[in-house]
Amino acid sequence: MSGAVLTIRDRLLGLLPRRADWAAARRSPGRDLLAGLTVAVVALPLALAFGVTSGLGAEAGLVTAVIAGAVAAIFGGSNLQVSGPTGAMTVVLVPVVQRFGATGVLMVGLLAGLVLIVLAVARLGRYVRYLPVPVIEGFTAGIAVVIALQQVPAALGVADAHGERVWAVAADAVARFADRPHPIPLLVALGVAAVMLVGARWRPGWPFSLVAVAAATGLAELLPVDLARIGALPSGLPAPSLDFFDLGAVGMLLPSALAVAALAALESLLSATVADGMTVAERHDPDRELFGQGLANLASPLFGGIPATAAIARTAVNVRAGARSKLAALTHAVALAVIVLAVSPVVGRIPLAALAGVLLATTVRMVEAGSLRALARATRGDALVLVLTFAVTVALDLVTAVAVGVGMAVLIALRAVARTARVEQVPLDRGEHSDEEHALLADHIVAYRLDGPLFFAAAHNFLLQLSDVADVRVVILRMSRVSTIDATGAQVLGDAVLRLQRRGITVLLSGIAPGHEQVLTTLGVAEQLRRDGLVFPDTPSAIRQARTIALGGLQQSAPAVAH
């Protein structure tokens, strides 16, 4: 067996569940069971609403919460994480439903699960921590707006709104509502949202979403109102099936699958980080978390579920309810399964407008206004990244927004780093020379200290500064403070040395760090200088050689002055 195969096998074994994962469950199972039931009550209306919003129906949302929630709880890398359908995922799935239908969504979920498992085996989970905060806040605010726009048709009772983008569909729904106003759905949606928002301030731990949805359903049954309902739900989970699998569609669906996998990885690892921050001793394993989410997204489509990810809101409820182990998240999934089996006829009578109200309230709570204001005031660069990511999320799509936001953040960071690079002229020590001799040396030797990174973003400035050197015989380039150097920086250094040499100026290098030797040697930048004995390990030896060169030239041109 080859070494690569052994490495992959060992990594897969390292991602599997361990007995230690359930040690905490044995210490306080009662608290975990209660926390799981609490989360299930909160998750039920959200699962229904996200299923409807995704385009596959309430049943798909419930199946996802049960199957993906259980699998991710068992195999994930966080003891406190709760997974299932989320608003961010529905934003990505709606265009997939429009282009490829329900089977396309199931294929996308399956492929995304495979991608997540590959990311876990490659140990890429740790790199999500480097995503800039303005990008995270920008796309979170953008997702909230998109989810709110998705609820406009249901909240207005308009079933046949059309448009290319979500904002176009919302605008069409508003126009149709204005032509034929029907206020009852709007009142139901706003009433449910108001109960949730006001109740959350009054009693944060109470499941007001379920209370509001139950009240709206009861009123809809008692009063003679015309409201669209969820519809009939099966009295159990569907049998697993791979009938949707189409090998020929993999090429078309792979871009969407990569987008779903990227979102699942991002949201899950951010949620796990939030959970860690809410506790003292908990620390998640990012690669195991990706592995668990990958298996969850492999399992969910087999039962007709949509792609899943960890949910920050449900995870936060889990932590606040006293969860201590994976048992709580697993209990949440089992409780939802029991609800599906026991009361599916009642659930099918829930008005769609009530679920729209649940998600409208959820979007309001997603946006941290204080955090957005702080980032907007931090720096102009942070504000630009925040606004750009938000705008692209709403106007185009989430994955494009993250790519644009990260790209802009990288450009701003490179600009800031490049501005820290300096080429500074430093004075020479007097040494053992007379005042007259030192004055002559000072006129003909210049030492420059290079501080900071010498890479492509700073190289042009470096070349411009060295091009201004005039009326000298020897230039010493002190390299000991160069923090990093890339191929562009090395090439520009070579060009600067060549330009100075063509003007008859001798160039000496000193203090090249061992880590920079390879770049300079590979590009042949310092080879000639090294052959001519003009590369020195430290600055004092370079200065001594520079004085010898300068004094020799001065004695030849003006011996009477030198001695």
Side-chain angles (χ1 to χ4, degrees):
M1 192 177 294
S2 66
V5 174
L6 287 172
T7 300
I8 293 174
R9 187 196 66 179
D10 291 342
R11 289 185 178 180
L12 280 172
L13 291 175
L15 296 170
L16 294 176
R18 306 156 189 170
R19 290 188 62 185
D21 295 341
W22 298 92
R26 292 190 290 271
R27 289 195 294 269
S28 54
R31 297 184 65 173
D32 287 322
L33 291 172
L34 182 59
L37 292 173
T38 303
V39 177
V41 170
V42 173
L44 175 60
L46 291 174
L48 296 170
F50 289 137
V52 171
T53 302
S54 72
L56 267 68
E59 178 188 355
L62 281 174
V63 167
T64 305
V66 173
I67 301 299
V71 174
I74 294 170
F75 291 93
S78 170
N79 288 332
L80 306 175
Q81 193 97 280
V82 179
S83 299
T86 64
M89 191 61 76
T90 62
V91 172
V92 179
L93 294 179
V94 168
V96 178
V97 175
Q98 292 172 347
R99 289 186 60 193
F100 305 107
T103 57
V105 173
L106 301 180
M107 276 287 293
V108 164
L110 193 73
L111 294 174
L114 292 174
V115 172
L116 287 167
I117 290 174
V118 170
L119 294 178
V121 174
R123 297 180 179 175
L124 297 180
R126 70 199 73 180
Y127 295 108
V128 171
R129 74 186 69 172
Y130 298 116
L131 196 68
V133 171
V135 174
I136 297 172
E137 294 291 345
F139 82 65
T140 301
I143 287 170
V145 171
V146 172
I147 295 172
L149 291 173
Q150 288 174 342
Q151 307 318 307
V152 171
L156 298 179
V158 177
D160 54 351
H162 300 288
E164 288 275 333
R165 300 282 181 184
V166 63
W167 47 267
V169 176
D172 185 51
V174 171
R176 292 172 184 269
F177 179 79
D179 288 339
R180 298 181 61 183
H182 182 46
I184 299 300
L186 181 60
L187 292 175
V188 170
L190 294 179
V192 169
V195 169
M196 287 180 61
L197 294 174
V198 174
R201 286 181 173 273
W202 178 50
R203 290 286 189 273
W206 289 20
F208 282 99
S209 59
L210 188 63
V211 172
V213 169
T217 304
L219 290 174
E221 292 294 311
L222 295 174
L223 300 177
V225 294
D226 182 20
L227 287 172
R229 312 298 179 101
I230 289 177
L233 292 175
S235 58
L237 295 175
S241 172
L242 266 174
D243 290 344
F244 63 88
F245 187 79
D246 181 5
L247 188 61
V250 170
M252 288 190 302
L253 295 172
L254 188 58
S256 298
L258 292 174
V260 168
L263 178 59
L266 178 64
E267 192 168 10
S268 297
L269 295 178
L270 288 176
S271 176
T273 302
V274 170
D276 289 348
M278 296 176 67
T279 60
V280 177
E282 290 293 335
R283 288 296 177 268
H284 73 282
D285 184 325
D287 297 320
R288 288 186 63 198
E289 183 59 31
L290 289 182
F291 183 69
Q293 295 297 331
L295 292 179
N297 280 283
L298 283 179
S300 181
L302 300 180
F303 295 85
I306 61 178
T309 178
I312 294 178
R314 275 161 274 177
T315 300
V317 170
N318 194 39
V319 176
R320 294 193 189 104
R324 291 292 182 270
S325 76
K326 293 172 175 286
L327 180 60
L330 185 59
T331 301
H332 137 271
V334 173
L336 287 176
V338 171
I339 291 172
V340 172
L341 294 172
V343 293
S344 58
V346 176
V347 173
R349 299 298 298 167
I350 295 175
L352 293 178
L355 296 183
V358 171
L359 293 188
L360 287 173
T362 301
T363 59
V364 173
R365 295 163 66 178
M366 282 176 64
V367 179
E368 296 286 346
S371 177
L372 294 177
R373 283 194 297 268
L375 283 173
R377 295 171 181 170
T379 67
R380 284 182 295 180
D382 288 332
L384 177 61
V385 172
L386 176 70
V387 172
L388 188 61
T389 306
F390 169 81
V392 176
T393 300
V394 176
L396 298 177
D397 60 79
L398 182 63
V399 177
T400 302
V402 172
V404 170
V406 170
M408 179 58 67
V410 168
L411 289 176
I412 293 172
L414 287 176
R415 180 173 176 267
V417 172
R419 294 173 79 175
T420 65
R422 298 192 308 276
V423 180
E424 181 182 359
Q425 184 176 346
V426 293
L428 297 173
D429 295 335
R430 296 185 65 87
E432 299 177 354
H433 299 275
S434 64
D435 290 342
E436 182 181 18
E437 193 174 54
H438 181 78
L440 289 171
L441 290 172
D443 288 339
H444 294 84
I445 301 177
V446 176
Y448 286 98
R449 183 176 61 219
L450 280 62
D451 285 337
L454 183 57
F455 69 133
F456 68 94
H460 180 67
N461 182 50
F462 167 77
L463 184 60
L464 289 178
Q465 292 189 53
L466 278 187
S467 298
D468 294 335
V469 176
D471 300 326
V472 298
R473 295 182 186 276
V474 183
V475 169
I476 303 173
L477 299 180
R478 299 172 60 178
M479 306 281 292
S480 60
R481 295 194 183 182
V482 174
S483 57
T484 185
I485 184 168
D486 68 357
T488 304
Q491 194 65 56
V492 169
L493 175 63
D495 291 343
V497 170
L498 187 59
R499 290 189 185 191
L500 292 173
Q501 288 176 333
R502 286 174 178 170
R503 291 164 51 193
I505 299 173
T506 302
V507 180
L508 282 64
L509 301 181
S510 71
I512 299 175
H516 303 156
E517 284 278 4
Q518 182 177 356
V519 178
L520 297 175
T521 301
T522 302
L523 296 177
V525 173
E527 289 307 299
Q528 180 188 349
L529 297 179
R530 191 173 280 108
R531 286 196 301 268
D532 294 339
L534 300 177
V535 177
F536 299 89
D538 53 62
T539 300
S541 56
I543 292 175
R544 287 194 295 270
Q545 180 64 20
R547 284 173 170 155
T548 300
I549 295 171
L551 285 175
L554 291 173
Q555 289 170 353
Q556 292 177 8
S557 59
V561 176
H563 290 288

